[in-house]
Amino acid sequence: STSIQEATLYHYEDFTLPLNFENASRKVESFHGGLNFTTNWRKLVLKGLNAYQFTYVNQASSKVSYLSLWNFISGRYKILEKYSFLIDYEYKKHFIEKEEDLFNTPYQIVDLKLEYSGNSMVAGFGGAVFESSLIPIIDLLLKKKKYYISFIRKFDVFLIKNQYSQTDALELIDNSFVFGYDGLKHKSKIELFNVDYKNESTSGLRFYSDIELKWLNIEQKIGFFNLNTNALNKPLDYYSTTSLFFSPNVWFWEDSRYQPFVGAQSVYIKHSGDLGLDPIYPSVFREISLEPYASNLLNLEIGLLVNQFKLSYKWINFSFSDNSIVQNSINEFFLPVIPIRHFEIIWQFWN
């Protein structure tokens, strides 16, 4: 059997970034397209994704064109009942045209892996082929009832902009160890990771928890970075996001056409002071030398859920003081997030 999906998107944006100086105009026009297919034979499954994105940006009298091409193909061949051979091919090329200069950065990766899949264990061992080099990769998952532990070692390449408005291919090896719990009403995991790149190394710790009850949903994400002291030029030391949604889906509200609700979201970020966020800088992140600083954004929402409609009143950057601001950018001309209040209606589409 074979399934094919095709998608296209056109996007036009005439929006000025929140900058506090003249000639801050910005116009963006972009074209997107993709083709996704899946072919399933008895022992062989093939999947593919081909996509492109062309973007034209006219900002502050500077005109730049970007073109990105993706090609991803994966195959799984079942050798025996519990053994499979996997191959993943990834190719990407990024073009930048600026002031009659053309730059392009390509890369391609081939992952080869032999996988064992049992009731309580999934194990995959192989290698990633990149520029005539073979990098070992590992996927290991052990499960016992609702608990699991996993170890993953993977190789990846990211395309990032540098300070000269060109693109660099960043190679990295990500090693992570995860201990988790997967229940019906509660899911949580703790992840210890280490990332090696550019002859440097950084370690961190992430925590995730999600509690889903009939009347309450709480999601918590916490991350610690730069745990090793030799890590340099990392933008964040710590972050924490909390999302709370309270709606009494009990008693007579359980069968009612409407339900009242209260929602809250908190985003706390501890910046390192070594690498700052500057949205108008070519590489977005700029090296600085500041004391660590923090920002905390709190949003509140109250309203009604009415037959696939959500009617609510929102406070963005909620504070008891009208002078409260949230500033994450180090650019002195970039305006901060100020308190905003508005009423909104959302039509929710459910499957």
Side-chain angles (χ1 to χ4, degrees):
S1 63
T2 301
S3 65
I4 300 177
Q5 295 178 329
E6 187 272 339
T8 57
L9 172 68
Y10 171 76
H11 174 79
Y12 180 79
E13 181 179 323
D14 186 359
F15 178 74
T16 302
L17 291 172
L19 301 174
N20 191 22
F21 60 85
E22 297 179 356
N23 299 323
S25 63
R26 178 175 181 267
K27 294 182 180 180
V28 178
E29 187 176 24
S30 61
F31 302 84
H32 311 254
L35 180 67
N36 191 351
F37 71 88
T38 301
T39 300
N40 192 344
W41 289 295
R42 292 184 60 185
K43 292 187 175 183
L44 178 64
V45 178
L46 293 177
K47 296 182 179 181
L49 173 62
N50 299 275
Y52 75 91
Q53 175 180 335
F54 174 77
T55 303
Y56 172 76
V57 180
N58 185 349
Q59 177 178 334
S61 301
S62 177
K63 301 178 181 180
V64 186
S65 296
Y66 303 93
L67 175 62
S68 297
L69 304 175
W70 291 273
N71 186 12
F72 179 79
I73 300 176
S74 67
R76 173 186 289 268
Y77 181 77
K78 194 172 184 179
I79 304 172
L80 297 172
E81 181 64 25
K82 296 183 178 180
Y83 292 89
S84 301
F85 177 74
L86 285 73
I87 180 170
D88 294 332
Y89 173 76
E90 180 181 352
Y91 173 83
K92 185 174 182 179
K93 195 167 188 178
H94 188 234
F95 298 87
I96 298 178
E97 183 182 14
K98 182 178 181 181
E99 298 177 356
E100 299 182 354
D101 292 326
L102 180 64
F103 310 96
N104 72 88
T105 307
Y107 78 83
Q108 57 182 346
I109 307 173
V110 179
D111 288 350
L112 305 170
K113 196 161 45 176
L114 181 64
E115 182 184 86
Y116 167 82
S117 180
N119 294 329
S120 60
M121 183 178 74
V122 178
F125 301 92
V129 181
F130 177 76
E131 294 184 350
S132 302
S133 298
L134 181 64
I135 300 97
I137 57 176
I138 300 173
D139 286 322
L140 180 61
L141 173 65
L142 301 175
K143 299 181 290 184
K144 186 173 179 61
K145 295 183 179 180
K146 297 180 180 180
Y147 297 91
Y148 65 90
I149 59 174
S150 70
F151 174 76
I152 299 175
R153 172 184 168 88
K154 63 181 180 180
F155 173 81
D156 212 339
V157 177
F158 291 93
L159 298 181
I160 59 174
K161 290 181 64 177
N162 58 29
Q163 59 182 333
Y164 306 107
S165 297
Q166 301 177 19
T167 304
D168 293 332
L170 178 64
E171 309 165 24
L172 59 85
I173 298 176
D174 186 358
N175 300 281
S176 63
F177 177 81
V178 178
F179 175 77
Y181 173 82
D182 190 4
L184 290 176
K185 297 182 179 180
H186 181 213
K187 296 177 175 60
S188 62
K189 67 178 181 180
I190 299 176
E191 177 186 4
L192 178 64
F193 64 90
N194 177 265
V195 179
D196 297 321
Y197 65 99
K198 286 186 178 181
N199 299 320
E200 294 186 18
S201 176
T202 181
S203 299
L205 183 67
R206 282 190 285 252
F207 171 78
Y208 170 80
S209 178
D210 185 18
I211 299 175
E212 293 188 14
L213 305 176
K214 294 187 64 174
W215 51 276
L216 179 66
N217 176 250
I218 302 176
E219 184 182 73
Q220 176 77 56
K221 296 179 182 179
I222 299 174
F224 299 91
F225 303 94
N226 307 330
L227 296 184
N228 50 332
T229 55
N230 64 337
L232 300 175
N233 294 333
K234 308 302 181 295
L236 303 182
D237 284 338
Y238 166 79
Y239 78 90
S240 174
T241 64
T242 305
S243 178
L244 182 147
F245 186 85
F246 172 79
S247 181
N249 190 22
V250 291
W251 304 319
F252 63 88
W253 279 303
E254 189 171 5
D255 299 322
S256 176
R257 293 185 59 189
Y258 72 93
Q259 292 177 2
F261 75 91
V262 177
Q265 182 186 46
S266 172
V267 180
Y268 179 84
I269 301 176
K270 179 68 175 298
H271 299 266
S272 66
D274 297 326
L275 201 63
L277 177 64
D278 187 348
I280 65 173
Y281 195 65
S283 61
V284 182
F285 291 102
R286 180 158 56 93
E287 293 187 15
I288 55 175
S289 180
L290 299 174
E291 290 294 325
Y293 59 99
S295 67
N296 187 19
L297 176 66
L298 176 62
N299 302 328
L300 294 181
E301 181 180 14
I302 59 172
L304 294 174
L305 300 174
V306 185
N307 194 21
Q308 295 188 235
F309 282 87
K310 188 175 79 165
L311 298 81
S312 64
Y313 189 79
K314 275 189 173 182
W315 290 265
I316 305 298
N317 187 16
F318 177 83
S319 174
F320 292 104
S321 171
D322 292 335
N323 297 323
S324 176
I325 61 174
V326 175
Q327 179 66 284
N328 287 312
S329 173
I330 61 172
N331 191 306
E332 60 180 344
F333 296 106
F334 203 86
L335 299 180
V337 180
I338 61 175
I340 301 173
R341 300 176 180 87
H342 70 276
F343 177 77
E344 69 177 26
I345 300 176
I346 296 179
W347 186 4
Q348 297 174 313
F349 294 88
W350 299 338
N351 293 328

